[in-house]
Amino acid sequence: MNQPNTQPKRRKTSLKWKWAFFTSIGVLAIVVIFSGLLFNRFTNVLFQQERSHIDNTLSTVSSRLTNYASPLTKRDVAQYLKPKITNSNDQGTQADGNDLYSNSLIVNFSRDNILVNVYSVNGKELFESRKGTATFYSASKRKIFTTKHRGRQILVGVEPLLSKKNGSLIGYAQVTDQLDDYRATANKLLVILVILVLISVLLTMIFAYILAQELLRPINDIQKTINEVKSDPDSDARVPAFRSNDELTDLAELLNGMLDQTQRYIDQQQQFVEDVSHELRTPVAVIQGHIDMLLRWGKDDPEVLEESLKASLQETNRMKSLVSEMLDLSRAEQIEINYGEEITDVNQVFEQVYNDFKMIHPDFTFTFDDDTDGDVYVKIYRNRLEQVLVILLDNAIKYSTKRKEVHLSLSTSMAMVNIAVQDFGEGISEEDKQKVFNRFYRVDKARSRDKGGNGLGLSIAHRLIEAYHGNISIESSLGSGSIFQINLPIMKHLPSEEEIEKKAAPTSNGQSKDSGLTEGILDTSKHDEDTGSLNDDGHHRK
């Protein structure tokens, strides 16, 4: 016993949300990378500015203190690094040249995160610009580096002070930058960038969702149409036309075309079943009526018995013909699967069918116009081409009433061979011309039944020609006759004489291959079962 499916149904995730999510992820990655590069570049600029401040401060201190020839003392350093404040009330007192330069010291020393220290030759502190703790670093030349102090990164600049007079070492200048301004500015920038990233991702998700909803609207229409057709196969629901000319428009047109084609197939199938049922109902009823009559009393009457048997046999042959034509149509629909490399000489087949019909129908006048230069070869099974020609000629003879004349022509145009069969009979109306290739369709069903046939001949011919990449058309007018034209692609590379002779050579059982060119699909012993072939009595049937 089948166990019920207990697996929970997977929750569907909307394509719009997927689109919005993955778009946001992509934008997030791009914005984060861009923001990271921007943050790195900006902090590098800030860091270089801090290094520049330290370098300027070292240069200022060094330029003031290197005038001494002996090691520095606290008094010497204080004299040059502590700025002199000039009282504006003291008349006649002017700042010396050092006061102007001291202003630059005030600017450098006034930075909260800058600490300036001067050390003696043995590392003793001689000066500090503000209260703070600094570690002494010695160096043989000016050096600016980063280090950690109390768990925080700082920037330190050290320079040995060499006397301008004798070049001796007189002390050390050291500038320590706590990088407080740098960190504060970097943190502000980081917060701004994080906010911008979040806003951009949020806006991107909203925009992507709206855009996805708009772009996927055609898919919703397609899905709605498919559901309608699924619930009602006979529904004429179709995908509405889209204003955008894109891939979804092509998909909608393809789906509409497929639905139209499927609807045609459904209609044809229904019509096929109805027609077959209608066609078989009459002969089955006739046979059943005669058998019932024979069972009741007719078997004792020789005349009635003979008449019933003949009628039953006639109806049986009619059903046999119908089944044979249906089989031909089924085979014609599968030629594309079994398509081979068989080659047929059109001139040879055309001439053979022409001569056969001249012999069978001496009361008709047949005219044959061959406008080809030499033999024309096409890829088609020989007996299939013969079958199509027999169908058309049989049809022309059947509907020729007063003027018993049939014109045949064979010509080539570009890469196609054209076959035309013209009669001067009843003709076909414009309305019927669109339906003559449908299954079981007969222009005048009452007269067609009297003339024989089941309305499948032209449908078989149409399917055969299309299966071999050709086309068949009709031109007709009531009372003037009809012209059926067939176009088939010509072989680009004609077979050589050796290849033709090889195909025409007898096989191991002593039989040649279908008139020397191709072997037909059907066995020659069953040739009389094909539509449009010759009966045992020498007459064509359709």
Side-chain angles (χ1 to χ4, degrees):
M1 185 172 61
N2 293 332
Q3 296 292 334
N5 188 5
T6 59
Q7 292 184 356
K9 186 177 180 180
R10 296 180 61 184
R11 186 176 181 181
K12 183 179 72 172
T13 304
S14 173
L15 188 58
K16 291 179 287 188
W17 285 111
K18 289 182 181 180
W19 193 328
F21 175 75
F22 287 110
T23 302
S24 302
I25 292 297
V27 172
L28 175 63
I30 295 174
V31 174
V32 167
I33 292 174
F34 177 78
S35 300
L37 294 175
L38 180 64
F39 181 78
N40 182 66
R41 181 61 180 169
F42 192 78
T43 52
N44 285 340
V45 172
L46 290 178
F47 194 77
Q48 292 301 324
Q49 288 180 351
E50 296 296 332
R51 290 178 62 93
S52 178
H53 288 315
I54 291 179
D55 190 68
N56 292 335
T57 303
L58 287 175
S59 298
T60 301
V61 173
S62 175
S63 63
R64 298 298 295 165
L65 298 179
T66 53
N67 291 324
Y68 288 93
S70 58
L72 295 174
T73 62
K74 286 187 177 182
R75 180 182 177 184
D76 298 333
V77 176
Q79 180 180 359
Y80 286 98
L81 295 186
K82 288 185 178 180
K84 297 178 181 179
I85 301 177
T86 304
N87 190 348
S88 59
N89 295 327
D90 296 340
Q91 296 181 358
T93 304
Q94 297 180 354
D96 59 11
N98 294 334
D99 293 334
L100 180 62
Y101 194 80
S102 295
N103 290 336
S104 63
L105 290 176
I106 295 175
V107 173
N108 291 326
F109 291 175
S110 64
R111 291 171 58 89
D112 294 337
N113 58 329
I114 292 293
L115 175 62
V116 180
N117 298 91
V118 178
Y119 298 94
S120 64
V121 175
N122 54 10
K124 181 180 179 181
E125 184 179 83
L126 303 177
F127 174 83
E128 64 177 356
S129 60
R130 64 178 70 249
K131 292 294 181 179
T133 57
T135 303
F136 170 68
Y137 298 95
S138 62
S140 58
K141 60 180 180 179
R142 180 181 294 189
K143 181 173 67 173
I144 300 175
F145 57 93
T146 58
T147 185
K148 283 191 175 182
H149 179 69
R150 294 180 180 179
R152 302 181 67 183
Q153 189 178 28
I154 60 174
L155 189 62
V156 179
V158 180
E159 181 179 4
L161 299 177
L162 302 178
S163 174
K164 293 180 180 179
K165 296 181 179 179
N166 54 23
S168 62
L169 179 65
I170 59 176
Y172 294 94
Q174 180 173 307
V175 180
T176 304
D177 189 347
Q178 302 295 331
L179 297 178
D180 294 334
D181 294 341
Y182 166 78
R183 276 188 285 268
T185 305
N187 291 335
K188 289 180 181 179
L189 176 62
L190 183 61
V191 170
I192 293 174
L193 290 178
V194 170
I195 294 174
L196 289 178
V197 167
L198 294 177
I199 293 176
S200 63
V201 171
L202 180 61
L203 293 178
T204 300
M205 179 172 291
I206 296 174
F207 177 75
Y209 182 83
I210 296 174
L211 180 62
Q213 188 177 22
E214 183 65 26
L215 291 178
L216 297 178
R217 192 184 304 276
I219 295 183
N220 295 333
D221 295 337
I222 294 174
Q223 184 180 12
K224 180 180 177 182
T225 303
I226 293 176
N227 289 331
E228 291 181 9
V229 175
K230 182 180 179 181
S231 60
D232 182 14
D234 293 329
S235 173
D236 57 352
R238 296 295 182 268
V239 181
F242 301 145
R243 290 176 295 177
S244 59
N245 187 18
D246 51 17
E247 289 80 0
L248 291 178
T249 303
D250 297 338
L251 178 61
E253 293 177 354
L254 182 63
L255 178 61
N256 285 338
M258 185 186 68
L259 292 176
D260 292 338
Q261 187 178 22
T262 303
Q263 187 64 43
R264 288 195 301 270
Y265 287 158
I266 294 175
D267 295 340
Q268 290 176 4
Q269 183 182 19
Q270 293 176 349
Q271 185 67 35
F272 181 80
V273 173
E274 292 174 1
D275 291 340
V276 169
S277 301
H278 179 269
E279 292 293 331
L280 293 179
R281 187 182 299 116
T282 301
V284 170
V286 171
I287 294 174
Q288 183 179 6
H290 282 286
I291 292 177
D292 290 340
M293 182 177 62
L294 292 176
L295 289 175
R296 289 197 306 268
W297 56 273
K299 59 184 178 181
D300 298 327
D301 188 341
E303 293 183 1
V304 175
L305 179 60
E306 183 179 2
E307 181 182 354
S308 297
L309 291 177
K310 286 183 178 180
S312 299
L313 181 60
Q314 183 179 1
E315 294 301 326
T316 303
N317 289 332
R318 183 176 168 192
M319 286 192 295
K320 179 182 177 183
S321 173
L322 177 61
V323 172
S324 177
E325 289 182 349
M326 292 172 60
L327 179 60
D328 282 340
L329 189 58
S330 176
R331 286 171 176 169
E333 291 175 347
Q334 308 215 351
I335 281 179
E336 291 173 340
I337 301 176
N338 302 320
Y339 188 82
E341 298 296 325
E342 302 295 339
I343 303 170
T344 298
D345 186 343
V346 179
N347 304 74
Q348 188 181 77
V349 177
F350 204 91
E351 185 175 357
Q352 176 187 334
V353 175
Y354 165 70
N355 292 328
D356 289 344
F357 269 79
K358 279 200 309 179
M359 177 186 64
I360 297 171
H361 300 279
D363 54 330
F364 272 79
T365 301
F366 293 93
T367 305
F368 179 21
D369 295 329
D370 187 355
D371 295 331
T372 60
D373 295 330
D375 293 335
V376 178
Y377 296 92
V378 294
K379 276 189 177 181
I380 186 173
Y381 291 104
R382 176 189 176 89
N383 63 335
R384 290 307 188 186
L385 178 58
E386 180 181 349
Q387 182 179 3
V388 172
L389 294 177
V390 169
I391 289 173
L392 297 184
L393 286 171
D394 224 0
N395 210 60
I397 292 172
K398 185 185 302 179
Y399 292 99
S400 294
T401 54
K402 298 179 181 179
R403 185 177 174 181
K404 295 187 176 182
E405 185 177 350
V406 178
H407 288 181
L408 297 88
S409 67
L410 183 63
S411 61
T412 55
S413 175
M414 301 295 291
M416 306 290 287
V417 59
N418 177 266
I419 301 172
V421 177
Q422 180 181 8
D423 65 75
F424 301 91
E426 301 172 2
I428 305 173
S429 65
E430 289 294 329
E431 180 182 357
D432 291 327
K433 281 197 301 186
Q434 307 299 325
K435 305 175 183 179
V436 293
F437 296 112
N438 293 347
R439 297 175 176 179
F440 295 107
Y441 185 80
R442 290 188 287 262
V443 177
D444 188 342
K445 294 189 176 183
R447 296 188 62 184
S448 297
R449 187 178 299 278
D450 296 336
K451 295 173 181 288
N454 300 300
L456 286 173
L458 291 178
S459 179
I460 294 173
H462 181 263
R463 190 66 188 91
L464 284 173
I465 293 301
E466 285 195 340
Y468 289 105
H469 313 294
N471 62 79
I472 182 171
S473 60
I474 179 175
E475 297 178 10
S476 182
S477 60
L478 285 174
S480 301
S482 306
I483 302 176
F484 285 88
Q485 295 193 23
I486 298 173
N487 291 288
L488 288 169
I490 301 174
M491 287 284 296
K492 294 182 179 179
H493 304 287
L494 299 181
S496 62
E497 294 182 0
E498 292 77 6
E499 292 174 339
I500 297 176
E501 292 176 357
K502 184 177 180 180
K503 287 181 176 289
T507 58
S508 59
N509 58 5
Q511 296 179 353
S512 62
K513 287 187 177 180
D514 201 7
S515 298
L517 284 176
T518 63
E519 183 180 3
I521 297 179
L522 303 179
D523 188 84
T524 54
S525 62
K526 299 180 181 180
H527 188 274
D528 62 329
E529 296 182 4
D530 288 340
T531 298
S533 60
L534 292 175
N535 284 327
D536 294 336
D537 57 359
H539 293 283
H540 281 75
R541 60 177 172 81
K542 175 178 181 293

